[in-house]
Amino acid sequence: SPMTRPLRRADVVRALRSVDTTGSAVLAATVRAILEAVAEPEGRQAGTAELYGGGSAATHARRDPLREAGSGHGVPIAGAALSARFGPVAASVHPYLDSRLKYDPDYRGKKDRAVAGRVHEAYAALQTEYADVFFGLLDRNWGMPGLEGLAVSPSPYSYDHFGLRLGTARIRLDAVLAQLDNLPDATGAEAHRYYVAHRLYVQPVAPVAVALWEGTVVAGPGRGLDQWFANVFNLGLLAQYDQGSSANHQLGVDVRVAPSGWPVFYGSFMLDDVQVDREGAGDNEPTSYGLFVGADGPAPARGRWRATYTRVSNLAYRTPNPAETVMRRDVGLARNFADYDQLTLQGEWLVMPGVLIRPEATFLRQGQGDMRLPYPPVEEYAQTPTIFAGVVERTMRAAVSGDIAFGFGITARFNAGAHFVTNAGHVSGVSDTRFVAGIEALYRFRVSGVLP
């Protein structure tokens, strides 16, 4: 499934085994190495344990190098990823230590200890041919490979949720239900908050896939998750009017077209809010939306190219009721930033077995709109721009990143780039040039086998 992450291990293995590697020793060696790293023993009961350790160093602490933030660091890393399969039941737990978390402004966990860490995965899932039922902690992404979705993405650190997949590979329903952190509402009272996202994925013909989705934030003092919003077979926007309750909804559509012999084309559109009535004093509210379009295709010498354009409006993901903002612990549940557009050109080359290199050029325009800011009052609607509030900061990024598998369990990843910034810090006329880089190296020891 090109629109859904994570992938099932068995699906990855099946896809890799179908790859035609004749005529390319580099591709054959790479596929073989990945299969050795992810394949499990045959049988209904199997387990895998992977222990790893190493370190990282970077000029910044945020995971997103384009909007680098936090202090530079050099820290150790250690973790253990344990997983098991018992027939149709899969389970996993993955704690790790990484003191980079102490400096990352997007991490809201405990930061006042010598060593920081968290649990990245902890879940159990019932997986059958036509349905998956999931509960636990896991990153998800409803977007194209390597791109964050507009409804569900790994921008926030993984959080506990209930997940559902129902259907076949060509038509299915995906859903996520989660309790969010409490926030004060428009009156200042502490509100309980919940997030429900559901998506209908349809592949009518092999080259075309379409997904229609809705994301809903439910919030209120002492409020629980209303049954009509928890019903992922219903449309929450209509249920709101039918039940006379309140919530913040986003509606969206994702499309992917992969014609044989042509580049792959894809796009996504999210409508957060649009003013339909134009009769009252408050009926000139700016439209809130997000979109991205892109294409990718093969390049010479075992390569691939990609071009993407993203645009997220000023007021996207926020509402007059701050408790209904689409974020968790000050980090967006989908995109972590608003009021920007971004054009990225990227290549990807498998230059030798286990060595993947990605050159990149990105142009970013960032306004001063932010989902963490208060929603403008009604009297300011007419003066509130749909996109690019205040002084627009412009960043040109030229960079290269890569992943390297040295063998014997040793892997590394790196990124290095130059940022050329105008109107730096949203101050007119101020320019800045910054070098941004990071590297991580790990040794992994993996063992798997059939469980008794």
Side-chain angles (χ1 to χ4, degrees):
S1 172
M3 294 187 183
T4 304
R5 295 294 185 276
L7 302 173
R8 285 186 180 183
R9 186 192 302 265
D11 293 338
V12 173
V13 171
R14 184 165 51 250
L16 287 170
R17 286 176 175 166
S18 69
V19 172
D20 181 7
T21 60
T22 57
S24 174
V26 172
L27 182 58
T30 301
V31 169
R32 185 167 57 251
I34 299 174
L35 279 170
E36 291 174 356
V38 302
E40 287 184 337
E42 299 293 336
R44 290 184 55 81
Q45 300 169 180
T48 300
E50 182 177 272
L51 309 178
Y52 61 89
S56 70
T59 60
H60 60 285
R62 176 173 276 160
R63 292 174 293 174
D64 177 10
L66 178 60
R67 295 180 174 87
E68 83 283 4
S71 60
H73 63 275
V75 297
I77 300 173
L82 312 175
S83 61
R85 186 185 74 247
F86 306 95
V89 177
S92 176
V93 60
H94 179 185
Y96 71 101
L97 301 175
D98 183 358
S99 291
R100 178 197 61 81
L101 296 168
K102 297 196 298 181
Y103 313 109
D104 186 351
D106 296 332
Y107 178 65
R108 294 296 191 271
K110 194 169 182 60
K111 296 186 175 186
D112 59 353
R113 303 297 298 270
V115 178
R118 64 185 302 271
V119 176
H120 178 61
E121 293 180 2
Y123 66 84
L126 175 64
Q127 300 176 340
T128 68
E129 183 178 0
Y130 299 112
D132 289 357
V133 180
F134 169 98
F135 179 75
L137 190 71
L138 185 70
D139 274 335
R140 291 191 184 273
N141 189 23
W142 290 358
M144 305 303 162
L147 298 172
E148 297 172 333
L150 293 174
V152 175
S153 87
S155 279
Y157 282 90
S158 55
Y159 52 90
D160 292 289
H161 62 276
F162 172 81
L164 175 68
R165 180 190 65 84
L166 183 65
T168 68
R170 297 187 63 167
I171 179 169
R172 70 172 182 270
L173 177 74
D174 297 302
V176 170
L177 293 85
Q179 182 173 358
L180 306 177
D181 53 320
N182 294 349
L183 283 178
D185 66 6
T187 68
E190 185 176 67
H192 296 169
R193 306 170 64 238
Y194 307 88
Y195 186 59
V196 179
H198 50 147
R199 178 180 66 165
L200 178 63
Y201 173 94
V202 179
Q203 190 178 6
V205 292
V208 179
V210 179
L212 303 173
W213 54 264
E214 179 186 51
T216 301
V217 176
V218 180
R223 188 173 183 177
L225 179 56
D226 304 315
Q227 297 178 54
W228 44 90
F229 292 134
N231 180 2
V232 297
F233 299 95
N234 197 4
L235 187 63
L237 182 63
L238 298 182
Q240 171 182 336
Y241 298 126
D242 185 47
Q243 298 293 336
S245 57
S246 63
N248 179 22
H249 305 275
Q250 301 85 42
L251 302 176
V253 58
D254 304 329
V255 179
R256 182 179 186 268
V257 181
S260 178
W262 288 77
V264 178
F265 300 95
Y266 40 81
S268 183
F269 178 75
M270 178 271 293
L271 185 63
D272 195 351
D273 197 6
V274 61
Q275 191 68 58
V276 178
D277 302 314
R278 298 287 180 183
E279 299 177 358
D283 290 340
N284 54 355
E285 183 177 0
T287 301
S288 299
Y289 65 89
L291 65 88
F292 72 76
V293 293
D296 65 68
R302 299 178 302 275
R304 197 160 186 88
W305 61 267
R306 168 181 283 174
T308 59
Y309 175 75
T310 304
R311 187 179 182 96
V312 180
S313 70
N314 175 17
L315 300 181
Y317 300 117
R318 54 175 162 153
T319 68
N321 180 357
E324 293 179 350
T325 304
V326 189
M327 65 182 183
R328 176 184 180 272
R329 307 187 79 179
D330 272 351
V331 178
L333 292 173
R335 297 300 171 106
N336 192 28
F337 298 91
D339 199 24
Y340 75 94
D341 74 347
Q342 175 182 331
L343 174 66
T344 295
L345 305 176
Q346 187 181 64
E348 188 173 70
W349 275 270
L350 185 63
V351 297
M352 62 179 64
V355 180
L356 194 66
I357 302 297
R358 305 180 191 88
E360 170 199 335
T362 293
F363 180 65
L364 170 69
R365 295 187 295 181
Q366 177 66 62
Q368 291 185 257
D370 191 316
M371 66 184 72
R372 300 154 193 83
L373 296 174
Y375 205 81
V378 172
E379 57 269 20
E380 294 183 10
Y381 282 175
Q383 292 78 42
T384 301
T386 299
I387 192 168
F388 299 141
V391 177
V392 179
E393 181 183 80
R394 294 174 171 84
T395 302
M396 174 66 78
R397 170 176 165 84
V400 63
S401 61
D403 294 272
I404 304 173
F406 294 99
F408 306 103
I410 301 173
T411 62
R413 61 177 49 189
F414 70 91
N415 75 83
H419 292 185
F420 306 95
V421 187
T422 57
N423 296 338
H426 301 286
V427 179
S428 296
V430 175
S431 298
D432 190 14
T433 300
R434 299 191 291 267
F435 177 71
V436 178
I439 186 170
E440 176 184 285
L442 297 175
Y443 168 72
R444 301 175 184 273
F445 175 76
R446 182 176 186 269
V447 59
S448 61
V450 175
L451 297 176

